[in-house]
Amino acid sequence: MLLRWAGALFLVAAPFYAAGAEVVNDVTQLNPVTVAEVVAPRTLEELVAAVVNHPGKLSIGGGRYSMGGQTAIRDGVQIDMRQFNQVLAFSPEDREITVQAGITWRQIQEHIDAANLSLQIMQTYANFTVGGTLSVNAHGRYIGLGPVVMSVKSIRLVLANGNVVLASPGERSDLFYGAIGGYGALGVIAEVTLVLADNAKVKRETVVMPLTSYWKYFARNVRDNPDVIFHNADIYPNAFDTVRVSSYVRTDRPVTVPDRLIPRDLDYSTNRRVYNMVTEWPAGRWLRQRVVDPLVYRGEQVEWRNYEASYDVRDLEPESRKETTFVLQEYFVPVQKLDAFVPVMGEILNRHEVNVVNISIRHARRDPGTLMAWARHEVFAFVLYYKQGTDKVAREAVGPWTRELIDAAIAYGGAYYLPYQILATPQQFHAAYPDAGKLFALKLRVDPANKFSNSLWDAYYRPEAADATPAAPRPLSLAQLQARESYRRDEAQTFLTLPEWVLVYSPAEYAQSLRRQMPSRFPYFGSIGQFWGYYWDAWQATRNKYDFNWGYHVMVAVIGTSYTVENAVKGVYENTIGRVTEWLASNEPTAEDAAAVGFAQRYVDFIRVRPWYEFSFFAELKRLWREAPIHGDHQIRKWERRLILSAEMLVKAQYATLLTIGTRLTYGTADRGIEAVVQGATREGLATLTGTGIIAPLEDGSLAVRLPRYEAFGDAVGELAAQGVRFVEISGNDEILLTAVVPAGWRYDLPQGKVAFSRAILTDPQKKRVGILTPVPALHEVLRALRAQGLAAEHVYDY
């Protein structure tokens, strides 16, 4: 089958190097590491001798598929495990197998297939070594599972002193959960006992859908379906709003593919031509989505589970990597944040013009306890496969957008994957892997001389960062917390951010209006008045209580004027030319009208989590001209809509570009965290929330915590209040504003707080928006009281 990039985890192996000083590189040719020697043990005795007899630094290599030097350390010795590849024990009755760690998944498949057994969890491609897979705690496309640690019964680990120890979840669990996913930091994974599964027949089911429909589809049809064995969804670039969903479901039907494993001698030259088309042709991605994939996925396909699990990485290999190369990255985000994260990811990739081949979505349950867990919650994994140049300029260009993606994943409570290019800052590394200090402490105990190392740990391992008990940092006094530069914020900002959020609420009302009626029916001039009315409310609430913030008021005046001009122009246009073309079309929406609805909703979804000027208007323009047919019914209306929408997107794209440049030059990168003092919170409760964490306990028994900002702030506050957490103060402030959309006749009778303002919803006169000024210590009571009345806070305004 074509286009197997969707299942890749690593790239094709580098050539084998014999003893003597060598340069070890992966096939991207981006990460050469000069090592003093490469040794290749075949027996456990030889492996122990290799560890004991080399006093310097040691690194461990398997298939050498990682792409950031994670298998080598400069001037050290690399232990090449590929000849350490024997099956040691196999029990079909117990459905388990014990192997040397240098064996590949394909070799195991060939051993167990005759018993009609299959590996419970493995990577999508079968060329990788078992030890390498465990060292990065990899995953595949398996449903109901997740990290490969879930299928490991036990391991034997060779420590720095030469001792060989058995580790499992019940015996030496510290070493078990430290070595799996530990990237060779603790020792050499020598032997592995794996749990096996039945080699069932599976039927491929595939469907194309909008990304916004995927989570509901997955939750309803896939997540808890015991018959789904493999599953992934491929996001089509560069719009990033459409997915092809593929499930392989247990079946009793006869196979349509007779081979039990994919033949080793297949020719993948067609795939190379497809990769070239997708990445180099002007219409390559369109052809892939509309022509190639429909051909590839046509017809019924029933195959053995082992066949679907035996892909060869040669499937991914291009003809040459001299000037360009294909590279992987991967990000993990809690499942409930899928719809919020993908637009942010797509915007970053489009803005940096990343040559994306494919993004594959995988699912994983929560990690059972590895110290370097990338699935601290139930997550979706986003496997990014892209093409880049190999020259210095092209390589340096990857760093900025990679760090932006890492920041985005962390902001949504997720992580990034470590086997790829080492581009994250130490701060990002520790934010994504908060238990790294525990691994460092364990390493300091079992490998005090730091014998086991590689380029990854050379970048991030610091013995002084070891922390075996990170849950108990030294208590702070409230005065010490308040003295932190990052802590205190201006309380007036809880009011002054209101006009900015009106520029979210108004587009949301506009998007809802377009779904119900033609554009001319929207109250454009009323929307202008609504914005300035809310600005008046914010000014009235702050003018006699706080110092006047000249910079912020000027900013609001600028964005308010821009919004006024935009809506005045649209109001005049839609009520003249727009009404005429609506009448000529008999008030029937055209494909362009439908495109405008989608554009409006995507814009609203984006600006809830990111500044509006980072939205990719150019991508929307391309989508309009690509997806809406040029000819059809009501031709005059179609062309009028096409032209006015194109003009709007072009103007906003240019304006957004100028604002993006100006904002970054003026303000740099925005702080995405806000600090608070709470009572009643637990580490476990905070761990379930996106973007939250403990800063330190305070001397009075309360906790200083870090919360996300913007819309995620309200989500976190609401979830903490539901857990019984009480807020003492937030950013040094004791009052905070929240809004709720309530019935027009609703009267405020909550136990705390007061109504600061109330305004009708323009597009729904039966409802109104109320602003509730709440004492911070009573915030949880107000949120609970609203919930008890069947209402909810629309937004809690941070500072």
Side-chain angles (χ1 to χ4, degrees), residues 503 507 598-608 612 615 617:
L503 297 186
F599 163 51
Q601 189 58 56
R602 286 187 293 274
Y603 176 70
V604 170
D605 293 341
F606 183 88
I607 62 177
R608 288 189 182 278
W612 77 268
F615 185 73
F617 293 100

Side-chain angles (χ1 to χ4, degrees), residues 549-611:
N549 188 329
W550 284 100
Y552 206 85
H553 283 274
V554 169
M555 184 273 290
V556 171
V558 170
I559 63 175
T561 301
S562 173
Y563 182 75
T564 298
V565 172
E566 176 189 351
N567 277 271
V569 171
K570 290 178 74 171
V572 171
Y573 182 89
E574 294 293 359
N575 284 283
T576 53
I577 298 174
R579 277 189 181 271
V580 171
T581 60
E582 288 175 3
W583 176 76
L584 291 173
S586 302
N587 288 316
E588 294 180 2
T590 64
E592 286 74 13
D593 286 298
V597 174
F599 163 51
Q601 189 58 56
R602 286 187 293 274
Y603 176 70
V604 170
D605 293 341
F606 183 88
I607 62 177
R608 288 189 182 278
V609 295
R610 296 292 294 271

Side-chain angles (χ1 to χ4, degrees), residues 497-529:
T497 54
L498 173 65
E500 291 186 87
W501 277 96
V502 174
L503 297 186
V504 175
Y505 306 146
S506 292
E509 292 177 26
Y510 179 65
Q512 293 170 358
S513 176
L514 290 185
R515 285 196 292 270
R516 300 192 305 265
Q517 56 193 4
M518 300 300 280
S520 64
R521 303 300 189 268
F522 183 75
Y524 296 96
F525 296 101
S527 185
I528 295 172

Side-chain angles (χ1 to χ4, degrees), residues 92-228:
E93 298 78 15
D94 296 330
R95 297 204 302 182
E96 66 180 45
I97 188 169
T98 301
V99 297
Q100 291 180 325
I103 197 170
T104 66
W105 297 105
R106 172 71 186 219
Q107 289 171 312
I108 297 178
Q109 289 170 335
E110 291 172 348
H111 193 90
I112 66 177
D113 184 73
N116 210 32
L117 291 174
S118 184
L119 290 152
Q120 188 179 62
I121 306 174
M122 58 170 284
Q123 294 155 273
T124 298
Y125 285 75
N127 308 71
F128 313 122
T129 64
V130 171
T133 297
L134 266 61
S135 73
V136 302
N137 198 16
H139 65 94
R141 296 170 293 147
Y142 298 90
I143 290 301
L145 296 165
V148 72
V149 65
M150 292 179 171
S151 70
V152 181
K153 189 172 182 179
S154 65
I155 62 173
R156 286 192 184 274
L157 189 67
V158 180
L159 299 178
N161 60 8
N163 287 348
V164 180
V165 297
L166 178 69
S168 69
E171 181 178 355
R172 299 301 305 269
S173 61
D174 56 343
L175 293 176
F176 181 81
Y177 289 120
I180 297 180
Y183 294 83
L186 303 182
V188 185
I189 297 175
E191 298 173 5
V192 183
T193 298
L194 298 163
V195 178
L196 303 177
D198 292 330
N199 182 29
K201 290 182 288 185
V202 292
K203 177 180 179 292
R204 184 183 66 194
E205 296 178 355
T206 182
V207 62
V208 177
M209 67 181 63
L211 177 72
T212 52
S213 302
Y214 176 64
W215 167 237
K216 289 183 179 179
Y217 173 90
F218 179 85
R220 184 174 61 250
N221 299 291
V222 178
R223 184 174 181 268
D224 299 309
N225 186 344
D227 289 330
V228 178

Side-chain angles (χ1 to χ4, degrees), residues 387-407:
K387 188 176 186 178
Q388 72 166 81
T390 57
D391 61 86
K392 181 180 179 182
V393 173
R395 293 173 63 180
E396 290 178 348
V398 174
W401 63 260
T402 299
R403 286 183 285 273
E404 283 191 48
L405 285 175
I406 292 171
D407 278 339

Side-chain angles (χ1 to χ4, degrees), residues 644-690:
I644 195 62
L645 283 171
S646 298
E648 178 183 358
M649 292 172 186
L650 282 171
V651 170
K652 287 185 175 179
Q654 297 298 330
Y655 186 32
T657 300
L658 293 175
L659 271 182
T660 300
I661 296 171
T663 299
R664 289 180 180 170
L665 288 175
T666 304
Y667 299 107
T669 302
D671 181 5
R672 294 184 177 274
I674 194 166
E675 298 177 2
V677 178
V678 300
Q679 292 179 341
T682 64
R683 180 174 294 275
E684 293 74 20
L686 288 165
T688 66
L689 305 183
T690 298

